Amino acid sequence: MRKRREAEVFQITGARQSLEDDVRGRQRRYVISMLIRTASVLLTVLLWNVERPLAVVTLVVGALLPYVAVVVANAGRENPSSMPSAFVPTHQRPALTASDAVPEADGRAPDGASGDRS
């Protein structure tokens, strides 16, 4: 029987969310903002003769919220995370010269030094 070798799985923690998820999130935020605007306009109508200062506040919120909602919805995708790059540069080591070569195991230390390492 053959052993199946499992594919190696990589975890991508710093990846951006998909474009579809990003658009869906922006649409959701826009709809919620418009629902809040609708509620504030309805509260303005209901409170106009009862509590005029509060009705004015809800009117201002209802007037400014569409602009804020459009700016938030069109803000674009999120910034890339501040995760470190997965690319790790390799350090260039200088080439070994003949004098840097490892001495053969004949019991002698390089450069005429004594063989004791005590």
Side-chain angles (χ1 to χ4, degrees):
M1 190 185 259
R2 284 181 148 181
K3 282 187 177 180
R4 286 191 184 179
R5 188 170 183 199
E6 295 293 324
E8 190 174 354
V9 177
F10 296 97
Q11 183 177 9
I12 307 174
T13 57
R16 297 168 102 179
Q17 67 184 38
S18 70
L19 182 59
E20 181 180 320
D21 290 340
D22 183 59
V23 170
R24 188 179 312 122
R26 286 192 276 153
Q27 287 174 341
R28 185 179 308 121
R29 286 190 298 272
Y30 183 79
V31 167
I32 290 170
S33 297
M34 290 299 101
L35 288 173
I36 293 170
R37 177 188 185 242
T38 302
S40 68
V41 170
L42 290 175
L43 278 173
T44 300
V45 171
L46 294 174
L47 295 175
W48 191 257
N49 290 327
V50 179
E51 189 70 34
R52 181 120 347 145
L54 185 59
V56 170
V57 169
T58 58
L59 180 64
V60 170
V61 168
L64 294 179
L65 200 56
Y67 172 76
V68 173
V70 168
V71 169
V72 169
N74 291 331
R77 299 189 71 180
E78 79 277 2
N79 291 331
S81 67
S82 60
M83 298 288 293
S85 173
F87 175 72
V88 179
T90 58
H91 298 287
Q92 296 292 332
R93 295 189 318 184
L96 293 176
T97 61
S99 63
D100 294 335
V102 178
E104 294 191 24
D106 61 358
R108 293 185 316 161
D111 298 331
S114 68
D116 292 337
R117 291 191 173 209
S118 13

